Amino acid sequence: MPKISIITPSCREQGIEINNRCLKRQTFKDFEWIVCSPYNYNYADVWIPEPLKKEGETYNLNKCWNLMLKKAQGELVISIVDLLWFPPDVLEKLWIHYQNNKKSCVGGIGHQYDKIENGKPEHLVWRDPRAQTQYGSLWEIKPIDFELCLASIPRKAIIDIGGWDEQFDFYAALSEKDLCIRIDQLGYRFYLDSSIEYRAIQHPRLTKDWDQKYQEGWKYFDKCLKEIQEGKRLKLDFLS
């Protein structure tokens, strides 16, 4: 079995070609790549067709994450979204972090660019507000500040809390915050490593009502957070 399972959701045609080029250059080779997409990319190790949306859903992101997690065999799961460029040593660094601390979840720092030049995103248009220098290259953060653009989580942690809440597919974003706060309750800790820097290609929102769905999602997230704090929402049942 592979040591690492990379999971990539993508609803954009040709959205993972840049990911594919970056993965081919990785110094760490013991991984599988699982993709959930309406497009069958034959260069992924496992392709899962994107499920149909239910009426009222914004997207299928959380259903896709759960489907990919069910297929994952690696000890360490690394989420890498589409339209992402990253250096050749990313998987190696994340595996070393995991070996040093099996209860660690580690993310990188990512900025957004609006051009592709020589196969790499260029022309910076947005900087990751989490980037800093005062704590060195690795520092602990709150789970609510963790993002799954490019980040590692032990597979056992996700299994033990029952996966992503698919109710968040009716909203926009925020599900990863709920996931990480539940994982935090099991004693895992969250870190950012500024030496892991990825570049995202800026892209438009998936839907015109994205901002409205995002605001509606906060109401549901606040309800979930209250239940977690009361000890009522630690494990869900989306992986059975």
Side-chain angles (χ1 to χ4, degrees):
M1 292 191 297
K3 293 179 178 177
I4 289 174
S5 293
I6 298 164
I7 57 174
T8 301
S10 177
C11 63
R12 302 174 182 90
E13 191 170 10
Q14 300 178 335
I16 64 171
E17 291 185 359
I18 189 169
N19 303 59
N20 184 45
R21 292 195 295 271
C22 292
L23 286 173
K24 285 182 175 179
R25 298 185 297 119
Q26 290 298 300
T27 56
F28 188 97
K29 303 295 185 182
D30 193 358
F31 67 88
E32 63 176 351
W33 187 21
I34 305 171
V35 173
C36 188
S37 171
Y39 308 103
N40 185 352
Y41 297 101
N42 56 17
Y43 44 73
D45 297 303
V46 179
W47 170 66
I48 302 172
E50 183 182 84
L52 294 174
K53 287 198 300 183
K54 298 176 182 177
E55 184 177 353
E57 286 185 325
T58 306
Y59 51 22
N60 285 312
L61 179 59
N62 297 288
K63 286 192 290 292
C64 288
W65 268 330
N66 283 329
L67 287 172
M68 290 186 289
L69 196 280
K70 290 178 186 179
K71 292 285 187 181
Q73 300 181 70
E75 287 183 59
L76 186 65
V77 169
I78 297 179
S79 171
I80 302 180
V81 300
D82 62 3
L83 299 178
L84 221 64
W85 176 95
F86 43 95
D89 60 355
V90 164
L91 299 187
E92 184 176 357
K93 286 181 175 179
L94 290 173
W95 180 255
I96 290 172
H97 282 309
Y98 173 66
Q99 290 300 292
N100 290 336
N101 181 0
K102 295 294 180 71
K103 286 271 191 174
S104 66
C105 306
V106 181
I109 297 294
H111 310 303
Q112 293 182 12
Y113 300 77
D114 67 357
K115 294 180 181 179
I116 296 287
E117 296 179 0
N118 299 317
K120 184 177 181 180
E122 299 288 357
H123 189 229
L124 179 69
V125 293
W126 181 86
R127 289 188 61 83
D128 191 332
R130 301 173 304 164
Q132 56 80 43
T133 58
Q134 60 182 322
Y135 302 122
S137 62
L138 181 72
W139 64 97
E140 187 172 355
I141 63 170
K142 296 178 181 179
I144 198 171
D145 295 324
F146 200 70
E147 296 182 358
L148 296 184
C149 290
L150 195 160
S152 65
I153 299 177
R155 181 165 61 98
K156 185 179 186 299
I158 306 174
I159 291 173
D160 287 348
I161 53 95
W164 285 263
D165 182 353
E166 295 176 8
Q167 182 67 22
F168 278 102
D169 282 343
F170 287 92
Y171 306 109
L174 300 172
S175 63
E176 57 204 86
K177 298 181 185 300
D178 169 74
L179 179 95
C180 293
I181 291 171
R182 285 185 286 124
I183 289 174
D184 178 73
Q185 302 300 302
L186 300 182
Y188 290 82
R189 290 297 175 260
F190 296 82
Y191 301 89
L192 288 182
D193 182 347
S194 62
S195 76
I196 298 174
E197 186 173 313
Y198 57 89
R199 296 187 176 204
I201 302 170
Q202 193 177 57
H203 52 80
R205 301 292 197 189
L206 287 173
T207 63
K208 293 181 179 180
D209 60 350
W210 180 274
D211 291 336
Q212 176 187 336
K213 292 290 187 178
Y214 177 69
Q215 293 302 323
E216 292 174 0
W218 272 108
K219 297 177 183 178
Y220 180 65
F221 173 76
D222 287 342
K223 174 179 175 291
C224 294
L225 182 59
K226 184 175 184 293
E227 291 178 359
I228 293 170
Q229 292 169 341
E230 294 173 348
K232 300 176 182 177
R233 184 188 164 82
L234 302 183
K235 182 169 183 176
L236 306 180
D237 187 24
F238 288 101
L239 298 177
S240 58

